[in-house]
Amino acid sequence: MSTTLANAGLMDRIYRRQRHVYDLSRKYYLLGRDRLIEGLAPPPGGRVLEIGCGTARNLIAVAHRHPDTPLFGIDLSLEMLDTARRRVDREGLGGRIRLAHADATRFDPALLFGVPGFSRIFFSYTLSMIPEWERALAQSVVWLQPRGELHLVDFGGQERLPRWFRGGLRQWLALFHVIPRDALENALARLPGDIEVRRFERPHLGYAQYAVCRRST
């Protein structure tokens, strides 16, 4: 079995039941998601892609904030996508939010959606669940249009929090196959030369990490 198929099966097993309570249970500890949404500021005529869109919670929030912006989401879990499509339809956003089953490390928006790229791409607490997360980062910026931006928020190193908290949190996250990407800042610095890291922060005493990168040309 390929790594992609194995990971897809794992994600479906994890979220088959969790998807029904995911947003309610996660809102207290996935810190920084709303800040990321507020900072997207897509330009007129721009398109926005979320990689690892889950239940479509974030895309729906972006849709309400930017009613003229076409939105797209991909996810490896068919279970999550089922929930996402139901939520999008309930919100009456089926014509504005398009979803597809795809692997973050190897996808082509022209094949999935018939579009060439995006002015904004974002990861929200998904890199920590992607085994080949550096490959997913590299793949994402391939589809950034000139002066497009990549926005990221995820678990940080918790370096300024008590050691007992950091250890307990990481043990708990590991139960859900979540691994904080401590090397994220260095990985961003290794992206192609036309990708500039414009912001990198570790808010909440390092609990989270938040970054914005921009394609210069």
mmCIF file with all atom_site columns, all heavy atoms in Angstrom, residues 91-109:
data_model
loop_
_atom_site.group_PDB
_atom_site.id
_atom_site.type_symbol
_atom_site.label_atom_id
_atom_site.label_alt_id
_atom_site.label_comp_id
_atom_site.label_asym_id
_atom_site.label_entity_id
_atom_site.label_seq_id
_atom_site.pdbx_PDB_ins_code
_atom_site.Cartn_x
_atom_site.Cartn_y
_atom_site.Cartn_z
_atom_site.occupancy
_atom_site.B_iso_or_equiv
_atom_site.pdbx_formal_charge
_atom_site.auth_seq_id
_atom_site.auth_comp_id
_atom_site.auth_asym_id
_atom_site.auth_atom_id
_atom_site.pdbx_PDB_model_num
ATOM 1   N N   . GLU A 1 91  ? -24.955 26.002 4.419   1.00 0.00 ? 91  GLU A N   1
ATOM 2   C CA  . GLU A 1 91  ? -24.708 27.445 4.449   1.00 0.00 ? 91  GLU A CA  1
ATOM 3   C C   . GLU A 1 91  ? -25.083 28.117 3.133   1.00 0.00 ? 91  GLU A C   1
ATOM 4   O O   . GLU A 1 91  ? -24.979 29.338 3.014   1.00 0.00 ? 91  GLU A O   1
ATOM 5   C CB  . GLU A 1 91  ? -23.231 27.708 4.741   1.00 0.00 ? 91  GLU A CB  1
ATOM 6   C CG  . GLU A 1 91  ? -22.772 27.317 6.134   1.00 0.00 ? 91  GLU A CG  1
ATOM 7   C CD  . GLU A 1 91  ? -23.166 28.336 7.184   1.00 0.00 ? 91  GLU A CD  1
ATOM 8   O OE1 . GLU A 1 91  ? -23.374 29.507 6.823   1.00 0.00 ? 91  GLU A OE1 1
ATOM 9   O OE2 . GLU A 1 91  ? -23.249 27.951 8.365   1.00 0.00 ? 91  GLU A OE2 1
ATOM 10  N N   . GLY A 1 92  ? -25.498 27.334 2.147   1.00 0.00 ? 92  GLY A N   1
ATOM 11  C CA  . GLY A 1 92  ? -25.833 27.895 0.846   1.00 0.00 ? 92  GLY A CA  1
ATOM 12  C C   . GLY A 1 92  ? -24.629 28.397 0.072   1.00 0.00 ? 92  GLY A C   1
ATOM 13  O O   . GLY A 1 92  ? -24.751 29.308 -0.749  1.00 0.00 ? 92  GLY A O   1
ATOM 14  N N   . LEU A 1 93  ? -23.475 27.774 0.309   1.00 0.00 ? 93  LEU A N   1
ATOM 15  C CA  . LEU A 1 93  ? -22.223 28.249 -0.296  1.00 0.00 ? 93  LEU A CA  1
ATOM 16  C C   . LEU A 1 93  ? -21.671 27.274 -1.335  1.00 0.00 ? 93  LEU A C   1
ATOM 17  O O   . LEU A 1 93  ? -20.508 27.370 -1.731  1.00 0.00 ? 93  LEU A O   1
ATOM 18  C CB  . LEU A 1 93  ? -21.176 28.489 0.797   1.00 0.00 ? 93  LEU A CB  1
ATOM 19  C CG  . LEU A 1 93  ? -21.493 29.632 1.769   1.00 0.00 ? 93  LEU A CG  1
ATOM 20  C CD1 . LEU A 1 93  ? -20.544 29.600 2.963   1.00 0.00 ? 93  LEU A CD1 1
ATOM 21  C CD2 . LEU A 1 93  ? -21.411 30.979 1.057   1.00 0.00 ? 93  LEU A CD2 1
ATOM 22  N N   . GLY A 1 94  ? -22.506 26.334 -1.778  1.00 0.00 ? 94  GLY A N   1
ATOM 23  C CA  . GLY A 1 94  ? -22.039 25.345 -2.728  1.00 0.00 ? 94  GLY A CA  1
ATOM 24  C C   . GLY A 1 94  ? -21.528 25.933 -4.023  1.00 0.00 ? 94  GLY A C   1
ATOM 25  O O   . GLY A 1 94  ? -20.669 25.349 -4.687  1.00 0.00 ? 94  GLY A O   1
ATOM 26  N N   . GLY A 1 95  ? -22.015 27.104 -4.400  1.00 0.00 ? 95  GLY A N   1
ATOM 27  C CA  . GLY A 1 95  ? -21.557 27.740 -5.630  1.00 0.00 ? 95  GLY A CA  1
ATOM 28  C C   . GLY A 1 95  ? -20.268 28.512 -5.472  1.00 0.00 ? 95  GLY A C   1
ATOM 29  O O   . GLY A 1 95  ? -19.658 28.927 -6.475  1.00 0.00 ? 95  GLY A O   1
ATOM 30  N N   . ARG A 1 96  ? -19.812 28.718 -4.233  1.00 0.00 ? 96  ARG A N   1
ATOM 31  C CA  . ARG A 1 96  ? -18.612 29.536 -3.991  1.00 0.00 ? 96  ARG A CA  1
ATOM 32  C C   . ARG A 1 96  ? -17.462 28.756 -3.398  1.00 0.00 ? 96  ARG A C   1
ATOM 33  O O   . ARG A 1 96  ? -16.309 29.161 -3.512  1.00 0.00 ? 96  ARG A O   1
ATOM 34  C CB  . ARG A 1 96  ? -18.956 30.691 -3.045  1.00 0.00 ? 96  ARG A CB  1
ATOM 35  C CG  . ARG A 1 96  ? -19.828 31.760 -3.711  1.00 0.00 ? 96  ARG A CG  1
ATOM 36  C CD  . ARG A 1 96  ? -19.841 33.022 -2.895  1.00 0.00 ? 96  ARG A CD  1
ATOM 37  N NE  . ARG A 1 96  ? -18.499 33.371 -2.467  1.00 0.00 ? 96  ARG A NE  1
ATOM 38  C CZ  . ARG A 1 96  ? -18.210 33.748 -1.224  1.00 0.00 ? 96  ARG A CZ  1
ATOM 39  N NH1 . ARG A 1 96  ? -19.140 33.838 -0.312  1.00 0.00 ? 96  ARG A NH1 1
ATOM 40  N NH2 . ARG A 1 96  ? -16.959 34.058 -0.914  1.00 0.00 ? 96  ARG A NH2 1
ATOM 41  N N   . ILE A 1 97  ? -17.759 27.649 -2.729  1.00 0.00 ? 97  ILE A N   1
ATOM 42  C CA  . ILE A 1 97  ? -16.704 26.834 -2.124  1.00 0.00 ? 97  ILE A CA  1
ATOM 43  C C   . ILE A 1 97  ? -16.665 25.498 -2.849  1.00 0.00 ? 97  ILE A C   1
ATOM 44  O O   . ILE A 1 97  ? -17.628 24.739 -2.831  1.00 0.00 ? 97  ILE A O   1
ATOM 45  C CB  . ILE A 1 97  ? -16.951 26.613 -0.624  1.00 0.00 ? 97  ILE A CB  1
ATOM 46  C CG1 . ILE A 1 97  ? -16.950 27.946 0.136   1.00 0.00 ? 97  ILE A CG1 1
ATOM 47  C CG2 . ILE A 1 97  ? -15.892 25.679 -0.041  1.00 0.00 ? 97  ILE A CG2 1
ATOM 48  C CD1 . ILE A 1 97  ? -17.257 27.808 1.624   1.00 0.00 ? 97  ILE A CD1 1
ATOM 49  N N   . ARG A 1 98  ? -15.539 25.208 -3.473  1.00 0.00 ? 98  ARG A N   1
ATOM 50  C CA  . ARG A 1 98  ? -15.364 23.956 -4.203  1.00 0.00 ? 98  ARG A CA  1
ATOM 51  C C   . ARG A 1 98  ? -14.357 23.082 -3.455  1.00 0.00 ? 98  ARG A C   1
ATOM 52  O O   . ARG A 1 98  ? -13.290 23.552 -3.046  1.00 0.00 ? 98  ARG A O   1
ATOM 53  C CB  . ARG A 1 98  ? -14.904 24.231 -5.629  1.00 0.00 ? 98  ARG A CB  1
ATOM 54  C CG  . ARG A 1 98  ? -15.911 25.046 -6.429  1.00 0.00 ? 98  ARG A CG  1
ATOM 55  C CD  . ARG A 1 98  ? -15.369 25.430 -7.793  1.00 0.00 ? 98  ARG A CD  1
ATOM 56  N NE  . ARG A 1 98  ? -15.020 24.242 -8.578  1.00 0.00 ? 98  ARG A NE  1
ATOM 57  C CZ  . ARG A 1 98  ? -14.375 24.307 -9.744  1.00 0.00 ? 98  ARG A CZ  1
ATOM 58  N NH1 . ARG A 1 98  ? -13.997 25.480 -10.242 1.00 0.00 ? 98  ARG A NH1 1
ATOM 59  N NH2 . ARG A 1 98  ? -14.101 23.198 -10.410 1.00 0.00 ? 98  ARG A NH2 1
ATOM 60  N N   . LEU A 1 99  ? -14.703 21.830 -3.284  1.00 0.00 ? 99  LEU A N   1
ATOM 61  C CA  . LEU A 1 99  ? -13.900 20.904 -2.497  1.00 0.00 ? 99  LEU A CA  1
ATOM 62  C C   . LEU A 1 99  ? -13.467 19.721 -3.354  1.00 0.00 ? 99  LEU A C   1
ATOM 63  O O   . LEU A 1 99  ? -14.176 19.320 -4.280  1.00 0.00 ? 99  LEU A O   1
ATOM 64  C CB  . LEU A 1 99  ? -14.710 20.393 -1.297  1.00 0.00 ? 99  LEU A CB  1
ATOM 65  C CG  . LEU A 1 99  ? -15.303 21.464 -0.377  1.00 0.00 ? 99  LEU A CG  1
ATOM 66  C CD1 . LEU A 1 99  ? -16.243 20.821 0.638   1.00 0.00 ? 99  LEU A CD1 1
ATOM 67  C CD2 . LEU A 1 99  ? -14.206 22.240 0.333   1.00 0.00 ? 99  LEU A CD2 1
ATOM 68  N N   . ALA A 1 100 ? -12.300 19.161 -3.018  1.00 0.00 ? 100 ALA A N   1
ATOM 69  C CA  . ALA A 1 100 ? -11.799 18.011 -3.773  1.00 0.00 ? 100 ALA A CA  1
ATOM 70  C C   . ALA A 1 100 ? -10.970 17.113 -2.875  1.00 0.00 ? 100 ALA A C   1
ATOM 71  O O   . ALA A 1 100 ? -10.332 17.574 -1.915  1.00 0.00 ? 100 ALA A O   1
ATOM 72  C CB  . ALA A 1 100 ? -10.959 18.476 -4.964  1.00 0.00 ? 100 ALA A CB  1
ATOM 73  N N   . HIS A 1 101 ? -10.979 15.836 -3.197  1.00 0.00 ? 101 HIS A N   1
ATOM 74  C CA  . HIS A 1 101 ? -10.161 14.846 -2.506  1.00 0.00 ? 101 HIS A CA  1
ATOM 75  C C   . HIS A 1 101 ? -8.774  14.863 -3.132  1.00 0.00 ? 101 HIS A C   1
ATOM 76  O O   . HIS A 1 101 ? -8.624  14.607 -4.332  1.00 0.00 ? 101 HIS A O   1
ATOM 77  C CB  . HIS A 1 101 ? -10.803 13.470 -2.660  1.00 0.00 ? 101 HIS A CB  1
ATOM 78  C CG  . HIS A 1 101 ? -10.063 12.382 -1.955  1.00 0.00 ? 101 HIS A CG  1
ATOM 79  N ND1 . HIS A 1 101 ? -9.680  11.213 -2.572  1.00 0.00 ? 101 HIS A ND1 1
ATOM 80  C CD2 . HIS A 1 101 ? -9.641  12.288 -0.668  1.00 0.00 ? 101 HIS A CD2 1
ATOM 81  C CE1 . HIS A 1 101 ? -9.056  10.441 -1.704  1.00 0.00 ? 101 HIS A CE1 1
ATOM 82  N NE2 . HIS A 1 101 ? -9.018  11.063 -0.541  1.00 0.00 ? 101 HIS A NE2 1
ATOM 83  N N   . ALA A 1 102 ? -7.761  15.203 -2.350  1.00 0.00 ? 102 ALA A N   1
ATOM 84  C CA  . ALA A 1 102 ? -6.412  15.316 -2.903  1.00 0.00 ? 102 ALA A CA  1
ATOM 85  C C   . ALA A 1 102 ? -5.376  15.214 -1.807  1.00 0.00 ? 102 ALA A C   1
ATOM 86  O O   . ALA A 1 102 ? -5.646  15.483 -0.630  1.00 0.00 ? 102 ALA A O   1
ATOM 87  C CB  . ALA A 1 102 ? -6.253  16.635 -3.668  1.00 0.00 ? 102 ALA A CB  1
ATOM 88  N N   . ASP A 1 103 ? -4.176  14.838 -2.215  1.00 0.00 ? 103 ASP A N   1
ATOM 89  C CA  . ASP A 1 103 ? -3.020  14.721 -1.337  1.00 0.00 ? 103 ASP A CA  1
ATOM 90  C C   . ASP A 1 103 ? -2.255  16.041 -1.363  1.00 0.00 ? 103 ASP A C   1
ATOM 91  O O   . ASP A 1 103 ? -1.899  16.531 -2.435  1.00 0.00 ? 103 ASP A O   1
ATOM 92  C CB  . ASP A 1 103 ? -2.148  13.577 -1.849  1.00 0.00 ? 103 ASP A CB  1
ATOM 93  C CG  . ASP A 1 103 ? -0.884  13.353 -1.037  1.00 0.00 ? 103 ASP A CG  1
ATOM 94  O OD1 . ASP A 1 103 ? -0.637  14.106 -0.082  1.00 0.00 ? 103 ASP A OD1 1
ATOM 95  O OD2 . ASP A 1 103 ? -0.126  12.424 -1.375  1.00 0.00 ? 103 ASP A OD2 1
ATOM 96  N N   . ALA A 1 104 ? -1.977  16.598 -0.201  1.00 0.00 ? 104 ALA A N   1
ATOM 97  C CA  . ALA A 1 104 ? -1.289  17.886 -0.114  1.00 0.00 ? 104 ALA A CA  1
ATOM 98  C C   . ALA A 1 104 ? 0.097   17.860 -0.734  1.00 0.00 ? 104 ALA A C   1
ATOM 99  O O   . ALA A 1 104 ? 0.626   18.907 -1.124  1.00 0.00 ? 104 ALA A O   1
ATOM 100 C CB  . ALA A 1 104 ? -1.178  18.319 1.348   1.00 0.00 ? 104 ALA A CB  1
ATOM 101 N N   . THR A 1 105 ? 0.701   16.694 -0.843  1.00 0.00 ? 105 THR A N   1
ATOM 102 C CA  . THR A 1 105 ? 2.071   16.617 -1.360  1.00 0.00 ? 105 THR A CA  1
ATOM 103 C C   . THR A 1 105 ? 2.130   16.468 -2.879  1.00 0.00 ? 105 THR A C   1
ATOM 104 O O   . THR A 1 105 ? 3.206   16.538 -3.460  1.00 0.00 ? 105 THR A O   1
ATOM 105 C CB  . THR A 1 105 ? 2.839   15.435 -0.732  1.00 0.00 ? 105 THR A CB  1
ATOM 106 O OG1 . THR A 1 105 ? 2.264   14.196 -1.164  1.00 0.00 ? 105 THR A OG1 1
ATOM 107 C CG2 . THR A 1 105 ? 2.797   15.516 0.788   1.00 0.00 ? 105 THR A CG2 1
ATOM 108 N N   . ARG A 1 106 ? 0.968   16.246 -3.514  1.00 0.00 ? 106 ARG A N   1
ATOM 109 C CA  . ARG A 1 106 ? 0.963   16.059 -4.973  1.00 0.00 ? 106 ARG A CA  1
ATOM 110 C C   . ARG A 1 106 ? -0.433  16.348 -5.505  1.00 0.00 ? 106 ARG A C   1
ATOM 111 O O   . ARG A 1 106 ? -1.241  15.445 -5.634  1.00 0.00 ? 106 ARG A O   1
ATOM 112 C CB  . ARG A 1 106 ? 1.414   14.637 -5.337  1.00 0.00 ? 106 ARG A CB  1
ATOM 113 C CG  . ARG A 1 106 ? 0.679   13.538 -4.580  1.00 0.00 ? 106 ARG A CG  1
ATOM 114 C CD  . ARG A 1 106 ? 1.127   12.167 -5.065  1.00 0.00 ? 106 ARG A CD  1
ATOM 115 N NE  . ARG A 1 106 ? 2.445   11.865 -4.581  1.00 0.00 ? 106 ARG A NE  1
ATOM 116 C CZ  . ARG A 1 106 ? 2.696   11.357 -3.375  1.00 0.00 ? 106 ARG A CZ  1
ATOM 117 N NH1 . ARG A 1 106 ? 1.704   11.104 -2.548  1.00 0.00 ? 106 ARG A NH1 1
ATOM 118 N NH2 . ARG A 1 106 ? 3.913   11.099 -2.999  1.00 0.00 ? 106 ARG A NH2 1
ATOM 119 N N   . PHE A 1 107 ? -0.683  17.596 -5.829  1.00 0.00 ? 107 PHE A N   1
ATOM 120 C CA  . PHE A 1 107 ? -1.984  17.958 -6.387  1.00 0.00 ? 107 PHE A CA  1
ATOM 121 C C   . PHE A 1 107 ? -1.791  19.009 -7.473  1.00 0.00 ? 107 PHE A C   1
ATOM 122 O O   . PHE A 1 107 ? -0.808  19.745 -7.484  1.00 0.00 ? 107 PHE A O   1
ATOM 123 C CB  . PHE A 1 107 ? -2.936  18.470 -5.297  1.00 0.00 ? 107 PHE A CB  1
ATOM 124 C CG  . PHE A 1 107 ? -2.562  19.809 -4.722  1.00 0.00 ? 107 PHE A CG  1
ATOM 125 C CD1 . PHE A 1 107 ? -3.108  20.979 -5.229  1.00 0.00 ? 107 PHE A CD1 1
ATOM 126 C CD2 . PHE A 1 107 ? -1.659  19.909 -3.669  1.00 0.00 ? 107 PHE A CD2 1
ATOM 127 C CE1 . PHE A 1 107 ? -2.768  22.221 -4.705  1.00 0.00 ? 107 PHE A CE1 1
ATOM 128 C CE2 . PHE A 1 107 ? -1.310  21.138 -3.135  1.00 0.00 ? 107 PHE A CE2 1
ATOM 129 C CZ  . PHE A 1 107 ? -1.867  22.296 -3.654  1.00 0.00 ? 107 PHE A CZ  1
ATOM 130 N N   . ASP A 1 108 ? -2.759  19.071 -8.376  1.00 0.00 ? 108 ASP A N   1
ATOM 131 C CA  . ASP A 1 108 ? -2.723  20.012 -9.486  1.00 0.00 ? 108 ASP A CA  1
ATOM 132 C C   . ASP A 1 108 ? -4.089  20.704 -9.555  1.00 0.00 ? 108 ASP A C   1
ATOM 133 O O   . ASP A 1 108 ? -5.091  20.056 -9.869  1.00 0.00 ? 108 ASP A O   1
ATOM 134 C CB  . ASP A 1 108 ? -2.427  19.278 -10.783 1.00 0.00 ? 108 ASP A CB  1
ATOM 135 C CG  . ASP A 1 108 ? -2.271  20.215 -11.977 1.00 0.00 ? 108 ASP A CG  1
ATOM 136 O OD1 . ASP A 1 108 ? -2.804  21.341 -11.935 1.00 0.00 ? 108 ASP A OD1 1
ATOM 137 O OD2 . ASP A 1 108 ? -1.625  19.810 -12.960 1.00 0.00 ? 108 ASP A OD2 1
ATOM 138 N N   . PRO A 1 109 ? -4.162  22.004 -9.253  1.00 0.00 ? 109 PRO A N   1
ATOM 139 C CA  . PRO A 1 109 ? -5.458  22.693 -9.245  1.00 0.00 ? 109 PRO A CA  1
ATOM 140 C C   . PRO A 1 109 ? -6.121  22.743 -10.613 1.00 0.00 ? 109 PRO A C   1
ATOM 141 O O   . PRO A 1 109 ? -7.348  22.859 -10.704 1.00 0.00 ? 109 PRO A O   1
ATOM 142 C CB  . PRO A 1 109 ? -5.128  24.086 -8.726  1.00 0.00 ? 109 PRO A CB  1
ATOM 143 C CG  . PRO A 1 109 ? -3.670  24.269 -8.996  1.00 0.00 ? 109 PRO A CG  1
ATOM 144 C CD  . PRO A 1 109 ? -3.073  22.910 -8.857  1.00 0.00 ? 109 PRO A CD  1
#
